[in-house]
Amino acid sequence: MGGVKVHNIHKTFGKNKVLHGIDLDVEHGDVVAVIGPSGSGKTTLLRCINFLEHADKGLITVGEQTVNTEKASKKEILALRRKTAMVFQLYNLFNKKTALENVTEGLIAVQKVSKKEAEAKARELLDSVGLQSKYGAYGSQLSGGQQQRVAIARAMALDPEVILFDEPTSALDPELVGEVLSVMRRLAKGGQTMIVVTHEMSFAYEIANKVVFIDQGLIVEEGDPRDVFLTPKDERTKQFLARFNLSSQYSI
Amino acid sequence: MNIDLSFVWQAFLYGLAYLPNTLKLAFSAFLLSLVFGIVIAGIRFFKVPFLARFFALFVTFLKGVPMLLVMFVVFASASRVVNGLAALLHLPFSAKDVSLNAIGIVALTIFGTMIISETIRGALTSVDNGQFEAGFSIGLTRTGALVRIVAPQAVIIAAPVLCNNIIGLIKASALCYMVMVEEVMSGTLKVASSNYKYFEAYLAAAAIYWALCIVIEMIAKILRAKLGKYRTKLA
């Protein structure tokens, strides 16, 4: 059991209706790539799952806990957030904390792990993302790719049911994208449930076991990456994917 | 124009004797203002219903009033307010027990609270909202994220402005002279009342305030260097 279920999520910003009733099923261990044009609502969907945006309507289930967004209490929201972790487009590392402190923060302040244990775990995680020499560095002293890897370690530290990735490589230059994707690839292979909003089509194709294409606040097409990328059924999906010219790259 | 330098020195020493009281006025007002200012800034930052709008109005209202006027209003209404309160609560004190110093501190605190609440609110707003969101994403509560993540950054942003606010309050404390509080300003002028060498007395007072502000600026500079460590970029 476990995973993430999103049922009939609606979200409006002012007069702008962004999500028109989205259903999404993510099994434990799934890696789901959410793709779609800018402004389609992918990021909003992701942010609704951990209530950084409060959806107007719908049910959100993470692990065993279901929250009705229309009457979610602060306590429920907090409990739900504690089953998730997020990696942001602009990293959002805690500015005044070192790489190590960024990773230990959730362990110490939320999970009440002892400082010593938290630091040991944080070191292990930073090592695993290739930052063994950067424990004491502040965000401003790290490259974008390094910052994002700290952010991933910070998310991993909490052993969340799901890690939500919000365009994790969009702010990186092409050379740094690789190091972040390789960390994510390893994470996916390790069985971590992940929902990844991304423009990295090849990553979505290779790593995800499910691809969801969103346009104008609705899921247009979803399924196995092979099917969605190579034989898209919907006209809009075909149009969107045509630009990435994947069929030529991956035809047998 | 002849300046009686020896009298400047005399007035300087005389005024210096009142420096402790000027410091007492300014720093008591500063500490009180800091407490009230943090509360008001927090209420406005988190948009607490009703209270946020009330304090927004309070701050806007005070911004448009000269400090001297606040001083006079507090002075003029102190006895009535204190006697009224004492009667209402059946407490055994009256306006006679209220020192002039207390009146000065209350007036400076009203003024300081308005200014410092804006300093703190500005600092809180200038911390990137992503810091809050990252805090939420690891499961911190709003208060948790504020206390552990955002406030420490806001303090660093606010520190230099707060130093300016202290300097502002020190200078504003000279207005306490108008309601007969004994402090540096009144001290230096008192010696001049016998020989009418007010110009020399003003120079002496200016020198004291000036020296005081330089010391505070220096402390601020040291603090800034210590606090801003995490902002340094690799060369």
Side-chain angles (χ1 to χ4, degrees), chain A residues 47 50 52 78 81-82 84-86 88 92-97 105-106 109-110 138 140-141 154 158, chain B residues 128 130-131 133-142 148-149 152-153 156 227 229-234:
Chain A
R47 289 164 60 86
N50 67 350
L52 286 187
L78 192 64
R81 279 183 181 155
R82 289 182 174 173
T84 67
M86 189 175 235
F88 298 85
N92 294 9
L93 290 187
F94 301 131
N95 275 336
K96 209 179 164 301
K97 296 190 186 296
E105 178 66 18
V110 178
Y138 291 100
S140 58
Q141 299 166 327
R154 173 173 73 183
L158 305 165
Chain B
D128 179 22
Q131 296 288 310
E133 291 192 343
F136 294 156
S137 83
I138 62 164
L140 290 174
T141 58
R142 195 167 68 166
R148 297 190 60 100
I149 310 293
Q153 296 179 40
I156 291 166
L227 290 172
K229 204 174 55 181
Y230 79 96
R231 282 185 176 171
T232 52
K233 300 217 187 299
L234 279 186

Side-chain angles (χ1 to χ4, degrees), chain A residues 223-241:
Chain A
D224 188 279
R226 232 165 285 270
D227 298 335
V228 176
F229 278 97
L230 300 182
T231 54
K233 288 174 192 64
D234 192 274
E235 201 47 48
R236 186 70 187 93
T237 321
K238 281 182 196 166
Q239 215 180 21
F240 182 72
L241 291 173

Side-chain angles (χ1 to χ4, degrees), chain B residues 29-112:
Chain B
F30 174 71
L31 291 177
L32 288 169
S33 303
L34 192 62
V35 173
F36 294 131
I38 287 172
V39 172
I40 292 178
I43 286 171
R44 294 188 64 194
F45 184 72
F46 283 133
K47 300 191 172 66
V48 177
F50 178 72
L51 285 178
R53 302 193 61 177
F54 171 79
F55 284 119
L57 212 69
F58 166 81
V59 168
T60 312
F61 175 76
L62 274 181
K63 260 186 202 167
V65 180
M67 173 64 216
L68 186 58
L69 201 126
V70 176
M71 189 72 71
F72 281 145
V73 168
V74 172
F75 181 70
S77 60
S79 64
R80 251 175 290 177
V81 171
V82 170
N83 285 337
L85 267 180
L88 194 71
L89 303 170
H90 304 290
L91 292 172
F93 64 79
S94 74
K96 290 197 297 292
D97 305 322
V98 177
S99 69
L100 287 169
N101 245 3
I103 290 174
I105 290 172
V106 168
L108 287 171
T109 300
I110 292 174
F111 186 68

Side-chain angles (χ1 to χ4, degrees), chain B residues 162-210:
Chain B
L162 284 175
C163 283
N164 287 348
N165 293 162
I166 294 179
I167 290 173
L169 280 171
I170 287 172
K171 291 187 291 189
S173 76
L175 292 171
C176 293
Y177 155 69
M178 300 301 287
V179 293
M180 294 172 292
V181 178
E182 297 199 309
E183 39 70 67
V184 168
M185 193 70 197
S186 60
T188 46
L189 293 182
K190 210 191 282 178
V191 271
S193 62
S194 57
N195 58 8
Y196 297 104
K197 289 187 174 169
Y198 282 108
F199 185 72
E200 280 81 352
Y202 291 141
L203 282 183
I208 294 172
Y209 286 115
W210 193 56

Side-chain angles (χ1 to χ4, degrees), chain A residues 85 163 194 203:
Chain A
I163 300 182
M194 295 159 63
F203 175 81

Side-chain angles (χ1 to χ4, degrees), chain A residues 198-237:
Chain A
T198 186
H199 291 297
E200 289 290 327
M201 293 304 147
S202 53
F203 175 81
Y205 182 85
E206 281 170 52
I207 307 302
N209 57 351
K210 182 174 178 181
V211 171
V212 176
F213 176 69
I214 296 189
D215 189 31
Q216 296 183 0
L218 278 171
I219 293 183
V220 176
E221 196 161 344
E222 60 183 309
D224 188 279
R226 232 165 285 270
D227 298 335
V228 176
F229 278 97
L230 300 182
T231 54
K233 288 174 192 64
D234 192 274
E235 201 47 48
R236 186 70 187 93
T237 321

